[in-house]
Amino acid sequence: MKRMGIAHWIGFVAILIWCLLPVVWMISLSFKPVAETAAGSPQFFPKEWTLDVYKEVLNNPDFLLALRNSFGISIIATVLSVIIATLCAYAIARLDFSGKRMVLTIALAIAMFPVVSLVGPLFDQWRFLGLFDTWLGLIIPYMSFTLPLAIWTLSAFFREIPWEMEQAAQVDGATAWQAFRKVIVPLAAPGVFTAAILTFFFAWNDFVFGISLTSTTAARPVTAQMAFFVGPDQFNPPVSTLAAAAVMVTVPIVILVLFFQRKIVAGLTSGAVKG
């Protein structure tokens, strides 16, 4: 047993190093001067630690505008997706209607559809409709791909909530809407948080839609804006600048995960254990 415990700890440490090594390397690069990365320095940690790269990124107006776009688009897509998914999941979990399984199957198939295959048709359609290079032109695709997963997650929670609690609220004088809003939704809070976090992650981390459906900084998200960073010359990409920007873009995600980690785990493991 003791050997098994040691083996488990060795495996845990090995996996941890394997997962965190790229992150540590990215952070290390972000503190290297541009001249050091341009010279192709092979050492892991910087010879000279500096914050100049972070100052350069924060003083870049295009990056700040793209950061605002990412926050705005991601938050709006998240709120709309969670509201629509909550209503749809409740109907699927509570109502009996023909074709319910087909609806869930189609929703899951949409979530698995390759994003790259839709870029070309969306590009032409968005230009025709005037949605190209707009916030709405990115919010709609984000919602289309995140709604199915959010519906699946929330419907699993609503199925576990007993009917008696909703009926008891209605007996006490609550309307159907009040029982749903004040009883059902709070009980499904882990699923709601999970759906919101997954939606926000998809919108925040997206690159394909962001680079393909925008042409200016009016709606370009921060992940796509990083592709326009310019190095000292065409043969030397701005490695340290990209690393610093990547660290700044990753920080909100890390904060969200640490803050809501229990609710995320509860949402993802819902229905995995019965009895």
Side-chain angles (χ1 to χ4, degrees), residues 76-86 142-144 146-147 150 199:
I76 293 173
T78 299
V79 172
L80 293 177
S81 292
V82 169
I83 292 175
I84 297 174
T86 302
Y142 293 165
M143 291 179 59
S144 301
T146 55
L147 267 175
T199 302

Side-chain angles (χ1 to χ4, degrees), residues 152-153 156-157 159-160 264-275:
W152 269 83
T153 303
F157 266 90
R159 290 193 193 97
E160 295 179 355
I264 294 173
V265 172
L268 293 177
T269 58
S270 173
V273 179
K274 293 184 179 180

Side-chain angles (χ1 to χ4, degrees), residues 20 23 26-27 71 197 200-201 204-205 246-261 264:
L20 293 182
V23 179
M26 180 179 67
I27 296 173
F71 270 113
I197 293 298
F200 187 86
F201 282 3
W204 184 265
N205 294 328
V247 171
M248 297 174 63
V249 170
T250 307
V251 167
I253 301 297
V254 174
I255 293 174
L256 283 175
V257 171
L258 293 177
F259 195 72
F260 296 113
Q261 59 178 331
I264 294 173

Side-chain angles (χ1 to χ4, degrees), residues 2 14 19 33 38 70-71 81 105 110 112 130 157 165 177 179 187 193-194 204 211 215 218 226 235 239 241 246 273:
K2 187 175 182 181
C19 294
S70 287
F71 270 113
S81 292
T105 302
I110 293 173
M112 295 181 177
F157 266 90
M165 302 192 68
W177 170 249
L187 290 174
F193 275 103
T194 302
W204 184 265
I211 197 69
S215 59
M226 289 168 60
F235 301 106
V239 178
T241 305
V273 179

Side-chain angles (χ1 to χ4, degrees), residues 11-217:
F12 171 76
V13 172
I15 294 174
L16 190 65
I17 293 175
W18 176 266
C19 294
L20 293 182
L21 185 61
V23 179
V24 177
W25 174 245
M26 180 179 67
I27 296 173
S28 174
L29 284 173
S30 67
F31 287 102
K32 290 185 177 182
V34 177
E36 186 175 339
T37 56
S41 57
Q43 72 278 358
F44 190 87
F45 294 106
K47 293 179 180 178
E48 179 184 353
W49 297 76
T50 180
L51 292 174
D52 292 341
V53 181
Y54 284 94
K55 295 178 182 178
E56 178 185 349
V57 173
L58 289 175
N59 290 329
N60 187 335
D62 292 338
F63 178 81
L64 297 179
L65 186 58
L67 201 61
R68 186 205 67 176
N69 292 337
S70 287
F71 270 113
I73 294 171
S74 300
I75 291 173
I76 293 173
T78 299
V79 172
L80 293 177
S81 292
V82 169
I83 292 175
I84 297 174
T86 302
L87 299 175
C88 293
Y90 178 78
I92 291 173
R94 293 302 198 199
L95 303 180
D96 291 327
F97 56 91
S98 59
K100 182 163 66 173
R101 288 184 176 273
M102 182 62 66
V103 171
L104 289 174
T105 302
I106 294 175
L108 188 61
I110 293 173
M112 295 181 177
F113 209 79
V115 175
V116 178
S117 62
L118 297 177
V119 170
L122 276 178
F123 178 84
D124 292 334
Q125 189 174 7
W126 266 206
R127 288 181 65 88
F128 176 77
L129 297 175
L131 296 177
F132 183 77
D133 201 24
T134 63
W135 280 26
L136 185 60
L138 291 177
I139 292 173
I140 294 175
Y142 293 165
M143 291 179 59
S144 301
F145 278 90
T146 55
L147 267 175
L149 186 58
I151 292 173
W152 269 83
T153 303
L154 289 172
S155 61
F157 266 90
F158 288 138
R159 290 193 193 97
E160 295 179 355
I161 299 174
W163 269 105
E164 290 76 13
M165 302 192 68
E166 186 176 0
Q167 293 172 347
Q170 293 179 357
V171 169
D172 290 340
T175 62
W177 170 249
Q178 288 175 333
F180 169 75
R181 182 169 55 89
K182 296 183 178 181
V183 177
I184 302 300
V185 173
L187 290 174
V192 174
F193 275 103
T194 302
I197 293 298
L198 293 176
T199 302
F200 187 86
F201 282 3
F202 181 89
W204 184 265
N205 294 328
D206 171 70
F207 175 79
V208 177
F209 285 134
I211 197 69
S212 305
L213 301 181
T214 60
S215 59
T216 66
T217 56

